Amino acid sequence: MKINRGSEWRKWDLHIHSPMTHSTSNRYKDLSIEDFCKEIINKDIDVIGLTNYFYITEVEYNEVVKGLDNKCYVIPNFEFRASDKNTKGDHINFHILFNPKLGIRNILNSIGNVKLNNHTNKYCREADILQLGIDSVTIDFESILNQLKTDFKIIEDFIVCVPYTGYGGFKVDNKPRNISQEKKFDELSNFILGNNSSKEYFSNNREYCLGKDICIIDKNKAIINCSDAHSKEDISNKFTWIKAHPTFEGLKQIIYEPIERVKIQKEKPESEKLDSLMIDKIIFASSDNKFTTAPIYFNKNLNVIIGGKSSGKSILLYNIAKTFYENQNDSVLKYKDANDNKEKDLYDLSIDDPEFDFTVENYLGISQNIKRENGKNSILGSIKYIPQNHLSDLVDKSLRNSNELKKYIRNLLREDPKYNKIYEDFVEKLGQNDEIRKNDISQYFIYQEELRKKKEELQHKGDKESIIKNIEALESKIAETKKDLTPEQTIEYNNLTSEYSELEKAKNSLLGDLEKIYNFYESTNYALNELKAKKTLLIENLELEDIKNDYAEKLTFIDNAIAENESIKKLTIKDENENFLVLENNIFNLKLNIINKRLNELNKKLAPLNSLFENQNLIINYQKTISEEKIKIAEIEQIEKETENITKTADDRKNKVFEDIKNNRKLYDNLLIDFVSRIDKIKEEDPELKIEGKIYFNFPKYREIIIDFSHGNTKSYSEYRIFNEENKALMEYDFEKYLTDLKAAFENIENGNYRLKNNTSKQDAIIKILEQKHFFDHWDITYKNDTIHKMSTGKASLVLLKVMIKLSETKGPILIDQPEDNLDNRSVTNELIEYLKEKKKERQIILVTHNANIVVNADAENIIIANQRGQSDDDELGSPYLFDYINGALEDVNPISVNQNEKDLLKSMGIREHITQIVEGGKEAFKKREEKYGF
């Protein structure tokens, strides 16, 4: 059974002569009709226009139809020589293609009533033409059209086409008489025989100047390329791809859609759409024959689902969406139950039918079931589903102040991968900045804690001035006892004791530096190992082996840093009593040995001098005390120096926090700048439709967080503008004033003037006050100077749809349920239909609709008819399935009268008849479409 996907590209050759053509140009020699037909089938031609001059016999037509054996559709093409001539002096040829349902005999009877040109008693009949000679007869173009219009309906029963250039073409020079003739053939032809060189001319308005009058023909016309075969070798050397069913009704579609349905090229037209991103078919599985078991096939372009009320249209669309949605719990697939206020699936068929399943297969033959394991990825995650009333709900007054609309607009802007990457990088940078800021604040408080300890340590060391005075007093006492020393001995003694004190200070500083380095090792060891873990993960995640090797080499500095840090540890080993063990062969060992050696030498030199003092032990104690006091002073000075350095570092870190907040705010400004070109895309296409991005701050949410940790009685927050309860989220504000308030709040929390709850630390409060997550990018849509937040629901829905139309970049299918809801007919005609016609070239579209104009004028390639048994008296005994579907093309015509005995409503008529019966205004929509190209 041949798969039906509606209108698809097929190879058509509408001007091909058979071996039975009655002309001196017949070069088929002895080729039989059977072999002629085999050649056509071998060349994969789906439709031919069987052509002969002035008449086609029933024998010729029947033999060719029989030989093609339903493998190729045959349209009779009568080729005439007009009495009009072109500027080359050749008679203009014109072709009339007839609907085969008329029958050859009826066609011959009609054209037999038309007189041959310049003959009063000779008619367009086989006998008369043979008598006069086929190469010498002509016929009046308008006369034969008038006769055919009397007997038949133009377009419905016959179609006129004429070559524009080449032999028999109607193109002429610019003389008024000839222009009038060209205009006539242009007006009266339904499409043009030619090639791509004529395509642009007939795709635009043609202007004919006749004296003072100007006539404009504004009907686009299809250009059809044909082989005009007169020999076996010519068959299919030229042809045209036509997107239609291989029927006369299919041929009619190129009159209404002359550009979209016709392609002149060698290879079969293929869209740039990926087969992996398009749905080929779906299959229901259910119990008790609830749903049809037959696959339902989809076209790669526009698929429209129509049907009566509760016929299963939305069910079909929803199940496709849920099967492919990346997150099957996405809110777009849910509704909120008014009874229990819980989110539920729009259509959960498995509740009543545990056996229910739904399978969707893409054009690569890869399928996916609606029942898929948790965490299993969708094979088509880029699908866009817009449920019924979704757009109007987004802009409904009750939701105007919610985040849904803002997020929706932002997500539309992010559909372009380039801008999605910009936004993701922006969010990632914000997250990194948050962590950096928290770490900076934490580090600031670590510095503050170090300062507190230093102040405490300084207090334990005693008063610096008192220690200096004590040293001076002790030195005075020693000086009093120096009277027993000679001047030379006194100088030597002073030099030795001074050097001794300095060495003791150096030794103390050396051990102090050793401890600082040990502490540094402890703090860096964890950080370096974390960095190493990140490096390992990066290298393992790199895909290309040469890149992996290159960066493994480049990042060895991390391992080297860890090794170097370990070498620091070896210098700073502590024993069980937490005393440093100074190891050999390092700078500390060398320096300590030198100092100890010199101290020993000094002790030996001081010993004989100390013995000269009257009270030797007292003097030694004085010397020791002086040395210790000088070490204290050195330690105090070191602590003061460290305190100064820590204070400066803490201040720098604090300043950095606020500088980072400024830079963080600039990220938002830069984001708006980065998205300008994305937004300009809309402005260029529709200057009245604008998207504007602004940066706001969610003051109400921010205030809630601040109040949560602030002391309830003192209400310190009331002193600051940024915590004012009158501030709104969408309020203009001065960033510099915001920053000033932040700094003041920081200072007052730190010094205790801002009261906090007992369970909140100063550090935690400052981290929360400096949180930047309350900034947000807000996108507003303006149409004709009216913002979307102030529009009526219907107008806002249309505007949002227009934005979605113009910004949508993902290449997966678009699924829309009744997009015409809340739109007036003019909006549907002017906006929606044009969108569908353009977008279906880029993406597969599947939509449910009740609007006939969408079905017909958007030229849907595939129409799916949905039906629920028992909805009308006509189908109670029809399909065995409760829900059944059938699909086909607009050109599928099968009048009810043909199938009066068919019980199944879906099979009882063609797609066109279903449309006219089901969709309100369906008949009128077809009429308007045909009138647009009427003659």
Side-chain angles (χ1 to χ4, degrees):
M1 181 179 175
K2 195 168 184 179
I3 294 172
N4 184 0
R5 293 192 181 89
S7 303
E8 294 189 279
W9 291 107
R10 293 178 171 88
K11 189 185 288 187
W12 296 50
D13 187 350
L14 292 174
H15 185 185
I16 182 169
H17 292 263
S18 81
M20 296 177 71
T21 192
H22 32 264
S23 166
T24 55
S25 60
N26 187 335
R27 299 188 302 276
Y28 282 107
K29 299 178 182 179
D30 297 328
L31 187 73
S32 66
I33 290 294
E34 182 182 0
D35 289 337
F36 168 75
C37 292
K38 284 181 180 178
E39 185 66 15
I40 289 172
I41 294 169
N42 290 339
K43 293 291 181 65
D44 295 322
I45 303 173
D46 294 287
V47 180
I48 65 165
L50 178 62
T51 310
N52 216 328
Y53 298 100
F54 290 91
Y55 64 91
I56 297 173
T57 65
E58 286 187 289
V59 172
E60 179 184 9
Y61 180 78
N62 291 337
E63 284 195 22
V64 171
V65 170
K66 181 181 178 183
L68 291 173
D69 191 27
N70 291 323
K71 294 175 183 174
C72 177
Y73 184 74
V74 182
I75 298 174
N77 180 354
F78 286 62
E79 183 174 0
F80 298 96
R81 187 182 301 112
S83 54
D84 304 276
K85 291 184 178 181
N86 58 29
T87 50
K88 295 180 180 178
D90 300 324
H91 287 281
I92 294 172
N93 292 336
F94 65 95
H95 298 248
I96 300 177
L97 292 91
F98 290 93
N99 193 332
K101 73 177 183 179
L102 296 176
I104 296 296
R105 182 171 299 178
N106 291 329
I107 298 169
L108 292 173
N109 287 341
S110 179
I111 66 173
N113 292 320
V114 182
K115 288 184 178 182
L116 296 174
N117 194 50
N118 294 329
H119 294 277
T120 56
N121 60 348
K122 298 295 181 183
Y123 293 84
C124 189
R125 299 167 185 165
E126 182 178 1
D128 288 351
I129 292 171
L130 290 175
Q131 182 182 347
L132 295 171
I134 198 164
D135 293 330
S136 64
V137 297
T138 62
I139 198 166
D140 183 72
F141 180 51
E142 290 169 285
S143 295
I144 192 167
L145 291 188
N146 289 334
Q147 179 63 47
L148 291 174
K149 288 176 184 178
T150 301
D151 298 329
F152 309 119
K153 293 180 180 179
I154 188 165
I155 299 179
E156 185 69 27
D157 296 325
F158 68 94
I159 293 172
V160 181
C161 58
V162 189
Y164 182 56
T165 57
Y167 180 78
F170 69 89
K171 186 178 187 300
V172 296
D173 56 29
N174 291 326
K175 294 179 181 179
R177 178 180 175 278
N178 292 336
I179 291 174
S180 177
Q181 178 178 289
E182 181 175 327
K183 172 179 169 290
K184 176 183 72 174
F185 278 95
D186 190 351
E187 285 180 327
L188 296 176
S189 59
N190 302 120
F191 60 83
I192 304 299
L193 297 178
N195 53 40
N196 281 327
S197 63
S198 303
K199 185 176 180 180
E200 184 176 354
Y201 181 68
F202 286 96
S203 298
N204 295 294
N205 294 349
R206 280 91 66 202
E207 186 177 281
Y208 292 102
C209 298
L210 304 171
K212 294 181 180 180
D213 297 326
I214 295 176
C215 176
I216 296 175
I217 298 180
D218 62 356
K219 291 182 176 66
N220 296 343
K221 289 186 179 178
I223 307 297
I224 301 296
N225 202 15
C226 308
S227 67
D228 189 13
H230 286 76
S231 67
K232 180 181 179 182
E233 293 72 31
D234 290 337
I235 294 174
S236 193
N237 63 356
K238 294 177 184 177
F239 57 87
T240 301
W241 293 101
I242 293 178
K243 186 171 62 177
H245 266 353
T247 61
F248 190 81
E249 191 70 26
L251 177 61
K252 284 167 54 178
Q253 307 312 307
I254 72 171
I255 299 173
Y256 313 131
E257 303 294 340
I259 308 301
E260 291 81 0
R261 285 184 176 250
V262 179
K263 297 284 184 186
I264 300 174
Q265 59 189 55
K266 184 177 180 181
E267 301 299 329
K268 184 176 181 179
E270 291 290 346
S271 67
E272 296 181 1
K273 306 169 197 170
L274 297 174
D275 284 350
S276 61
L277 296 180
M278 287 184 289
I279 296 163
D280 177 35
K281 65 182 178 182
I282 64 98
I283 301 172
F284 281 100
S286 61
S287 60
D288 301 324
N289 285 344
K290 189 170 185 179
F291 288 92
T292 178
T293 57
I296 302 168
Y297 289 90
F298 290 83
N299 194 282
K300 292 184 177 182
N301 300 306
L302 177 58
N303 303 265
V304 174
I305 307 170
I306 64 172
K309 188 177 180 181
S310 302
S311 56
K313 305 182 297 297
S314 296
I315 286 174
L316 175 57
L317 196 70
Y318 167 81
N319 280 287
I320 294 173
K322 183 164 185 182
T323 301
F324 277 143
Y325 245 67
E326 201 70 51
N327 176 12
Q328 291 190 321
N329 290 315
D330 196 291
S331 61
V332 79
L333 301 169
K334 306 282 185 180
Y335 77 97
K336 186 162 282 188
D337 193 315
N339 295 321
D340 56 15
N341 205 35
K342 292 182 179 178
E343 277 198 338
K344 297 180 180 178
D345 285 355
L346 289 174
Y347 304 94
D348 190 354
L349 302 176
S350 62
I351 294 176
D352 298 324
D353 184 2
E355 295 181 25
F356 176 80
D357 202 354
F358 189 83
T359 304
V360 188
E361 187 173 297
N362 66 18
Y363 268 78
L364 290 179
I366 302 172
S367 62
Q368 186 158 328
N369 287 50
I370 196 168
K371 296 178 180 178
R372 69 174 192 251
E373 298 174 11
N374 289 335
K376 186 176 181 181
N377 291 334
S378 167
I379 64 171
L380 209 167
S382 64
I383 200 165
K384 179 180 283 296
Y385 174 52
I386 304 176
Q388 189 176 353
N389 297 321
H390 179 62
L391 295 180
S392 58
D393 286 346
L394 278 171
V395 296
D396 189 77
K397 290 179 181 178
S398 63
L399 297 174
R400 291 288 167 85
N401 295 321
S402 75
N403 287 325
E404 289 302 311
L405 184 56
K406 178 187 70 178
K407 288 179 182 177
Y408 193 80
I409 298 170
R410 180 195 292 141
N411 289 338
L412 288 175
L413 289 168
R414 293 178 60 186
E415 279 196 11
D416 186 314
K418 172 186 171 183
Y419 293 94
N420 186 50
K421 180 67 166 59
I422 288 173
Y423 200 90
E424 285 181 347
D425 291 346
F426 160 74
V427 172
E428 183 178 356
K429 184 63 177 173
L430 290 179
Q432 291 171 353
N433 287 355
D434 286 343
E435 291 303 312
I436 291 170
R437 186 173 56 258
K438 287 178 185 177
N439 290 336
D440 284 343
I441 294 169
S442 297
Q443 191 60 51
Y444 175 80
F445 276 91
I446 288 172
Y447 291 142
Q448 294 302 318
E449 177 62 17
E450 287 183 18
L451 286 173
R452 186 192 63 76
K453 289 179 179 178
K454 291 297 177 186
K455 288 176 182 177
E456 210 174 77
E457 190 178 351
L458 203 57
Q459 289 176 348
H460 292 154
K461 295 294 181 184
D463 181 64
K464 183 178 177 181
E465 294 300 321
S466 298
I467 295 172
I468 290 172
K469 287 180 180 178
N470 189 35
I471 291 172
E472 290 174 351
L474 291 173
E475 286 177 342
S476 296
K477 290 180 180 180
I478 292 174
E480 290 177 4
T481 61
K482 287 181 184 176
K483 57 188 177 182
D484 297 331
L485 301 179
T486 65
E488 291 79 10
Q489 289 174 324
T490 300
I491 292 171
E492 182 183 7
Y493 177 83
N494 289 339
N495 289 338
L496 290 173
T497 55
S498 177
E499 183 182 358
Y500 193 93
S501 295
E502 290 302 317
L503 285 172
E504 283 287 347
K505 283 168 59 180
K507 182 177 179 180
N508 190 67
S509 297
L510 186 68
L511 294 174
D513 286 349
L514 190 61
E515 184 167 11
K516 290 169 192 168
I517 291 171
Y518 180 83
N519 292 337
F520 175 79
Y521 161 77
E522 288 290 316
S523 63
T524 56
N525 187 51
Y526 176 79
L528 285 172
N529 280 287
E530 278 291 299
L531 195 60
K532 181 180 180 180
K534 290 181 179 179
K535 181 208 78 168
T536 303
L537 184 62
L538 169 68
I539 298 300
E540 289 175 353
N541 286 338
L542 293 176
E543 297 182 35
L544 300 178
E545 199 62 34
D546 53 342
I547 300 295
K548 181 182 289 189
N549 294 335
D550 186 48
Y551 274 82
E553 178 65 28
K554 281 184 169 68
L555 296 174
T556 53
F557 74 87
I558 296 173
D559 302 277
N560 295 338
I562 291 173
E564 288 294 325
N565 203 46
E566 286 298 314
S567 68
I568 293 174
K569 181 182 178 181
K570 292 177 182 177
L571 300 177
T572 54
I573 296 175
K574 287 185 176 182
D575 62 18
E576 57 187 13
N577 298 318
E578 290 294 303
N579 294 317
F580 286 107
L581 300 175
V582 180
L583 306 177
E584 296 180 0
N585 300 323
N586 64 62
I587 189 170
F588 290 102
N589 179 273
L590 294 173
K591 280 185 171 292
L592 200 58
N593 285 341
I594 291 170
I595 289 171
N596 287 333
K597 182 179 178 182
R598 182 58 181 162
L599 286 174
N600 289 332
E601 290 174 354
L602 292 175
N603 280 325
K604 289 179 181 178
K605 289 182 179 181
L606 281 169
L609 294 174
N610 286 331
S611 64
L612 298 176
F613 290 110
E614 185 177 330
N615 191 337
Q616 182 179 344
N617 290 332
L618 183 63
I619 295 301
I620 292 173
N621 287 334
Y622 286 166
Q623 291 172 349
K624 183 179 179 183
T625 302
I626 290 171
S627 180
E628 289 172 351
E629 293 293 88
K630 285 184 176 181
I631 287 173
K632 274 186 186 180
I633 290 174
E635 288 175 344
I636 289 170
E637 289 174 346
Q638 178 63 27
I639 292 171
E640 289 174 342
K641 179 183 175 183
E642 289 175 4
T643 300
E644 182 181 346
N645 290 337
I646 293 171
T647 301
K648 182 180 182 304
T649 303
D651 289 342
D652 289 345
R653 189 61 64 103
K654 181 179 177 180
N655 292 334
K656 179 179 179 295
V657 167
F658 286 99
E659 195 62 36
D660 286 347
I661 288 174
K662 285 184 181 180
N663 293 331
N664 207 69
R665 179 63 177 76
K666 287 178 184 176
L667 286 178
Y668 284 91
D669 294 330
N670 292 336
L671 176 73
L672 300 186
I673 294 170
D674 288 338
F675 271 77
V676 165
S677 56
R678 176 80 166 125
I679 295 168
D680 282 349
K681 179 181 178 182
I682 285 185
K683 198 183 296 182
E684 290 169 8
E685 295 179 10
D686 189 345
E688 293 186 300
L689 181 60
K690 300 174 184 176
I691 296 181
E692 185 180 11
K694 287 187 177 181
I695 305 304
Y696 289 109
F697 190 84
N698 194 339
F699 285 104
K701 186 68 177 176
Y702 183 52
R703 189 172 188 273
E704 286 178 15
I705 293 171
I706 301 305
I707 291 175
D708 188 54
F709 65 73
S710 300
H711 194 278
N713 293 331
T714 56
K715 296 183 179 179
S716 302
Y717 51 80
S718 60
E719 301 175 17
Y720 303 89
R721 290 164 296 190
I722 54 175
F723 306 141
N724 194 314
E725 62 182 346
E726 294 180 1
N727 292 345
K728 307 299 180 186
L730 297 178
M731 180 187 79
E732 300 290 342
Y733 65 96
D734 187 321
F735 180 74
E736 289 301 323
K737 290 180 179 178
Y738 158 80
L739 206 58
T740 300
D741 276 4
L742 279 189
K743 291 178 180 178
F746 188 115
E747 297 287 348
N748 287 323
I749 288 173
E750 191 177 7
N751 62 32
N753 290 334
Y754 188 116
R755 294 285 305 281
L756 305 172
K757 287 182 179 178
N758 292 333
N759 60 348
T760 303
S761 69
K762 292 179 179 180
Q763 179 177 324
D764 288 342
I766 287 175
I767 285 175
K768 288 179 180 178
I769 274 186
L770 298 187
E771 275 183 341
Q772 300 298 290
K773 66 181 181 181
H774 304 291
F775 284 100
F776 62 94
D777 52 304
H778 175 84
W779 303 92
D780 204 358
I781 299 174
T782 305
Y783 185 60
K784 295 183 178 179
N785 299 319
D786 195 5
T787 65
I788 196 168
H789 299 279
K790 297 178 182 178
M791 298 174 189
S792 66
T793 300
K795 183 179 178 182
S797 297
L798 170 62
V799 170
L800 192 58
L801 181 60
K802 290 180 72 171
V803 171
M804 186 200 79
I805 290 167
K806 296 177 187 301
L807 289 181
S808 185
E809 295 286 348
T810 57
K811 298 305 180 184
I814 302 173
L815 278 58
I816 316 178
D817 198 342
Q818 294 179 214
E820 70 273 16
D821 287 0
N822 300 312
L823 304 182
D824 55 46
N825 285 331
R826 186 169 178 271
S827 299
V828 170
T829 302
N830 295 344
E831 306 287 345
L832 183 58
I833 288 175
E834 288 308 309
Y835 158 63
L836 294 173
K837 291 179 75 171
E838 285 303 312
K839 267 307 178 191
K840 71 180 184 178
K841 298 173 186 176
E842 304 167 16
R843 297 170 68 173
Q844 186 182 40
I845 300 175
I846 307 171
L847 64 85
V848 172
T849 185
H850 292 292
N851 189 292
N853 284 318
I854 292 177
V855 182
V856 177
N857 290 309
D859 196 33
E861 280 79 0
N862 188 35
I863 293 89
I864 299 166
I865 314 296
N867 185 57
Q868 182 181 170
R869 190 182 64 234
Q871 290 295 95
S872 67
D873 295 335
D874 297 334
D875 66 333
E876 288 185 355
L877 300 175
S879 169
Y881 304 103
L882 178 61
F883 291 98
D884 203 354
Y885 303 85
I886 194 170
N887 72 290
L890 278 173
E891 56 266 27
D892 282 348
V893 178
N894 187 11
I896 297 176
S897 59
V898 177
N899 290 311
Q900 288 181 339
N901 297 323
E902 177 60 61
K903 300 291 185 183
D904 190 333
L905 182 64
L906 289 179
K907 297 175 182 176
S908 68
M909 62 186 86
I911 297 298
R912 177 165 176 156
E913 289 74 37
H914 276 296
I915 293 170
T916 56
Q917 283 207 359
I918 293 171
V919 186
E920 184 178 350
K923 197 170 186 179
E924 288 73 20
F926 278 110
K927 282 183 179 179
K928 286 179 181 178
R929 182 176 186 243
E930 292 165 6
E931 285 170 2
K932 183 180 176 183
Y933 290 92
F935 299 89

